[in-house]
Amino acid sequence: MKRDVFQAIADPTRREILNFIAFEPQNVNTVAAQFDVSRTAIYKHMKILIECGLVDVRQKGRERYCAAKLEQLSEVAEWIEQYRQFWTSRLDALENYLNDVQKNNNSKKKK
Amino acid sequence: MKRDVFQAIADPTRREILNFIAFEPQNVNTVAAQFDVSRTAIYKHMKILIECGLVDVRQKGRERYCAAKLEQLSEVAEWIEQYRQFWTSRLDALENYLNDVQKNNNSKKKK
DNA sequence: TAAGTTTGAAACCAAAAGGTTTCATGTATG
DNA sequence: CATACATGAAACCTTTTGGTTTCAAACTTA
């Protein structure tokens, strides 16, 4: 099953897991120790993160190091960016307006 | 109940709803007509979007116009931005690597 | 080799999510 | 006023989610 990044980061525990392994890969037990819930519960969250590509696993002996692949977040970032013009500052709104005006002027000049 | 923006945008139908009303507010029926599911189902999605502040409602006669308040997405955007350094250009990766090397050298020197 | 450690997976459970049909209410309008 | 329309809400159902306990397997190490 191909998991969805949007859905993966919807859960606060999974966001905390990502944050915990963002700087340095950690094995499952180390991650689980950070949380109140059972290791198995964390493992399940991990599985979801792995399925959507947000986490990568590297076997090392009997341990498995989980590394965050945060570039997968760009899918969400890009989805949001397309709407950024709707909420940035009024200055930006002005800037956009001026850009538009300029664009229109250029088009007119070409004609 | 204070809803969570992360959770609200996890559902693909809700993302489509946001996109549909992003440029121009629409009443519930008009939105519902865009989707296969029932009006009531769309209304429930709408309610979730309203509860987390992603949608604003303005009564007008017997109709209720729903407008997207996309600036609420900034919460998610900011959460992602803090990790952007981890996946931007390879140049950044090289920079991080060099920083690490330097750090390790310093540690060794201390010993 | 035997005991301890790290992990994966199965069976099970309660609550939440997403959907439906149905009904009530307020608003327009012929 | 009577009918049609737009919406909110309740009751109900099925699937998914997030959690648990338990057990098996693979790897370490005394």
Side-chain angles (χ1 to χ4, degrees):
Chain A
M1 174 192 352
K2 174 57 185 165
R3 289 278 181 169
D4 185 326
V5 179
F6 286 88
Q7 217 257 311
I9 65 169
D11 185 272
T13 303
R14 285 196 289 269
R15 290 201 297 279
E16 284 185 56
I17 291 175
L18 281 178
N19 189 67
F20 183 62
I21 64 177
F23 301 90
E24 199 178 354
Q26 305 285 346
N27 64 39
V28 180
N29 270 348
T30 309
V31 175
Q34 299 295 115
F35 299 88
D36 284 338
V37 297
S38 69
R39 176 190 61 81
T40 319
I42 295 297
Y43 169 69
K44 282 206 208 174
H45 282 306
M46 221 60 128
K47 215 162 110 178
I48 290 171
L49 292 170
I50 292 167
E51 279 168 359
C52 73
L54 268 165
V55 164
D56 213 26
V57 180
R58 212 182 64 242
Q59 190 88 28
K60 191 172 184 184
R62 71 182 156 185
E63 292 175 52
R64 299 184 72 190
Y65 282 89
C66 304
K69 293 188 63 181
L70 296 164
E71 63 270 27
Q72 293 298 314
L73 293 175
S74 63
E75 183 187 346
V76 179
E78 281 163 24
W79 181 78
I80 293 179
E81 281 314 307
Q82 69 180 316
Y83 300 117
R84 184 174 290 278
Q85 55 177 314
F86 292 109
W87 87 81
T88 44
S89 71
R90 283 216 273 168
L91 193 63
D92 284 6
L94 178 62
E95 194 172 44
N96 288 336
Y97 170 72
L98 293 177
N99 285 340
D100 283 356
V101 168
Q102 195 171 27
K103 217 179 285 174
N104 287 339
N105 280 347
N106 288 345
S107 309
K108 283 176 187 168
K109 280 177 189 169
K110 280 181 185 171
K111 285 180 185 170
Chain B
M1 171 194 355
K2 174 56 186 168
R3 289 278 180 168
D4 185 328
V5 179
F6 286 89
Q7 216 256 312
I9 65 169
D11 185 273
T13 302
R14 285 196 288 270
R15 290 200 298 278
E16 286 185 54
I17 290 175
L18 282 177
N19 188 68
F20 184 62
I21 64 177
F23 301 90
E24 199 180 353
Q26 304 284 346
N27 64 38
V28 181
N29 270 347
T30 308
V31 175
Q34 299 296 114
F35 298 88
D36 283 339
V37 296
S38 70
R39 176 189 61 82
T40 319
I42 295 298
Y43 169 68
K44 282 207 207 172
H45 282 306
M46 221 60 129
K47 215 162 112 178
I48 291 171
L49 292 171
I50 292 168
E51 278 168 359
C52 74
L54 269 166
V55 163
D56 214 26
V57 179
R58 212 181 64 244
Q59 189 90 28
K60 192 171 184 184
R62 71 183 157 183
E63 294 175 52
R64 298 185 71 191
Y65 282 88
C66 304
K69 293 187 64 180
L70 296 165
E71 63 270 28
Q72 293 298 313
L73 292 175
S74 64
E75 184 187 347
V76 180
E78 280 162 26
W79 181 77
I80 292 178
E81 279 315 306
Q82 70 180 315
Y83 300 117
R84 183 173 290 279
Q85 56 176 315
F86 293 108
W87 86 81
T88 45
S89 72
R90 284 215 273 169
L91 193 61
D92 283 6
L94 179 61
E95 194 172 43
N96 287 337
Y97 171 73
L98 292 177
N99 284 340
D100 282 357
V101 169
Q102 193 171 27
K103 215 178 287 175
N104 286 339
N105 280 347
N106 287 345
S107 307
K108 283 175 186 168
K109 281 177 188 170
K110 281 180 183 171
K111 284 179 185 174

